[in-house]
Amino acid sequence: MSYGETEAVRGIDLEVARGEIFAFLGPNGAGKTTTVEILEGYRKRTGGEVLVLGEDPATAGRGWRDRIGIVLQSNSLDPYLTVRESIELYAGYFSHPRSVEETIALVGLEGKADDRARKLSGGQQRRLDVGMALVGDPELLFLDEPTTGFDPSARRQFWDVIESLRELGKTIFLTTHYMDEAQRLADRVTIIAAGRIVAQGTPEDLGEREKAAATIRYRDARGEEVTIETLDPVRELNRITGEAMERGEDLDGLEVTRPSLEDVYLDLTSTAEGVAGE
């Protein structure tokens, strides 16, 4: 996708498997939103090929739109409609909608069905957003940063809702700024930076995390912190603890860590943006 001489998206290539939760990560200005809007059919690309559910979003008709659901980053709720009325309204837009009551239950709003949207908490409003996207019984659901602004408790409750959609066989295309969210929910992760894809994989193997050196930290008998980098943490731990036991010493604060998903993300995106800026 180009705007004049500026390439916002530089010939990226990705696939999303049916029934998976796919996380699409990237800093602001990386091309993430542009890519998602192309996939949703809201923005026409300037080059390349795109197929979503077997059709080109740029030319797909109402039948294709019947098969997708979209939850935007900011909601567009009518504050004076109740939960039930909001979902009934959206049900009318689809050819074969899911039961309104079933949809309300699916997003955990049974006790709020007759409450007006303006009376709901932020987390409950987000659940209503998802309910309105789900009532059409879509095959594919786009979730654009769905938990932005949530407190930690509300975010984790919302993750349960997303995971329940996996059990229904839905395909979910998730954009998020939260690495723990991608770690918890995603089957696969793709990172975009400076208009290019810089890494793809599972949350566990992204950036070859499973092969990265582990860091062992502890405080010795004098209270000084010891840090050891090793590719064989099991063998190194066995040596360290064995020697400590022979000396009758404790290893206070002993911990073993590998690079987190956030560490990998920051490294990949900063490197890509640095190269693009040269």
Side-chain angles (χ1 to χ4, degrees), residues 7-239:
E7 286 185 294
V9 177
R10 308 180 184 197
I12 67 172
D13 187 16
L14 60 86
E15 291 185 1
V16 179
R18 187 178 297 275
E20 76 175 348
I21 297 180
F22 180 93
F24 194 49
L25 312 179
N28 291 334
K32 183 171 76 271
T33 298
T34 297
T35 300
V36 173
E37 288 180 349
I38 289 170
L39 299 178
E40 294 171 340
Y42 286 126
R43 188 180 297 272
K44 290 189 176 182
R45 63 190 182 277
T46 52
E49 298 179 2
V50 180
L51 287 178
V52 177
L53 298 178
E55 296 191 45
D56 185 338
T59 57
R62 181 171 179 177
W64 178 80
R65 292 230 166 255
D66 241 12
R67 302 167 64 197
I68 68 170
I70 298 174
V71 178
L72 300 174
Q73 189 172 347
S74 57
N75 71 53
S76 55
L77 303 176
D78 186 321
Y80 297 102
L81 291 182
T82 66
V83 168
R84 182 178 287 107
E85 289 168 344
S86 297
I87 293 180
E88 285 175 344
L89 175 65
Y90 272 72
Y93 298 147
F94 296 94
S95 302
H96 304 286
R98 178 187 296 275
S99 157
V100 170
E101 297 303 323
E102 180 186 352
T103 303
I104 291 172
L106 185 61
V107 294
L109 289 175
E110 303 98 310
K112 300 290 182 179
D114 296 316
D115 289 9
R116 300 190 189 282
R118 63 189 177 93
K119 296 290 188 180
L120 303 177
S121 68
Q124 290 166 344
Q125 289 183 353
R126 208 58 172 148
R127 287 173 182 251
L128 178 53
D129 272 335
V130 174
M132 292 190 300
L134 280 178
V135 73
D137 199 20
E139 298 172 43
L140 168 63
L141 185 65
F142 289 97
L143 296 178
D144 188 5
E145 298 182 18
T147 62
T148 296
F150 280 24
D151 63 54
S153 176
R155 284 179 62 217
R156 281 162 177 75
Q157 290 175 16
F158 195 78
W159 291 351
D160 292 338
V161 173
I162 297 174
E163 288 183 323
S164 70
L165 302 181
R166 188 207 309 267
E167 296 169 8
L168 294 176
K170 304 300 182 187
T171 304
I172 299 174
F173 194 105
L174 170 72
T175 61
T176 180
H177 283 302
Y178 299 115
M179 297 304 106
D180 57 343
E181 190 160 276
Q183 180 80 50
R184 162 77 179 268
L185 297 173
D187 298 302
R188 288 191 304 121
V189 175
T190 288
I191 297 176
I192 185 172
R196 298 185 187 277
I197 288 177
V198 295
Q200 299 186 72
T202 68
E204 290 71 31
D205 67 19
L206 196 73
E208 298 188 326
R209 285 173 62 203
E210 80 286 359
K211 298 179 182 177
T215 302
I216 301 174
R217 291 187 179 89
Y218 63 92
R219 287 188 297 278
D220 62 19
R222 294 171 294 179
E224 296 180 357
E225 184 170 291
V226 178
T227 301
I228 299 172
E229 301 282 336
T230 177
L231 293 173
D232 192 348
V234 174
R235 185 182 300 276
E236 193 65 19
L237 275 173
N238 185 59
R239 180 187 68 79

Side-chain angles (χ1 to χ4, degrees), residues 191 193 198-200 206-207 263-273:
I191 297 176
V198 295
Q200 299 186 72
L206 196 73
D263 293 333
V264 172
Y265 171 84
L266 292 173
D267 180 58
L268 289 169
T269 53
S270 62
T271 300
E273 289 179 332

